[in-house]
Amino acid sequence: SSGINAEWPLRPGYKLYFEGNVTMTTFHDEIEIEDMEYDEDEEMYYYPCPCGDLFTISKEELENGEEIAKCPSCSLMIKVIYDKDDFLKLTAKSTAQAVEQTA
């Protein structure tokens, strides 16, 4: 296995296991999902990036627990602050309403 085993310094007998590369991510900012723009047709959330482009994250990524929105033009990233359970309830409710309106 490519993982790294390390002895925990404060508790003998405990081990930490890291799979693959361990990286530290630095976010440009942390943004509440309510502060982002949502495009219903594309099912994408957007937030302005300082470079002039937009941070993007899809509804599907958020439903899967992803919380990092990336800018396609620069290396900046933001952390999207949201409650996954509440988000899933909201998206399920809006999907049900959309189905009722088309019926």
Side-chain angles (χ1 to χ4, degrees):
S1 173
S2 65
I4 300 168
N5 285 311
E7 292 294 327
W8 188 257
L10 300 176
R11 295 186 181 206
Y14 281 75
K15 291 186 176 182
L16 293 177
Y17 184 77
F18 302 100
E19 184 65 45
N21 295 329
V22 178
T23 57
M24 181 89 172
T25 303
T26 303
F27 299 105
H28 169 68
D29 206 348
E30 294 186 359
I31 304 297
E32 298 278 342
I33 194 166
E34 294 84 11
D35 295 331
M36 299 182 78
E37 294 291 324
Y38 180 64
D39 183 315
E40 289 185 30
D41 294 331
E42 295 183 20
E43 294 191 333
M44 294 288 289
Y45 285 84
Y46 299 99
Y47 191 80
C49 180
C51 80
D53 205 342
L54 297 169
F55 293 104
T56 61
I57 190 165
S58 71
K59 177 181 162 187
E60 182 180 4
E61 289 172 315
L62 290 163
E63 289 171 344
N64 291 329
E66 180 63 55
E67 58 185 19
I68 300 172
K70 299 173 185 167
C71 176
S73 297
C74 71
S75 62
L76 294 179
M77 295 180 282
I78 57 172
K79 182 175 182 179
V80 180
I81 307 300
Y82 75 109
D83 182 294
K84 184 181 174 192
D85 293 333
D86 288 347
F87 183 77
L88 291 173
K89 288 176 195 170
L90 261 172
T91 57
K93 184 178 178 182
S94 63
T95 301
Q97 287 174 345
V99 168
E100 286 175 13
Q101 289 174 357
T102 58

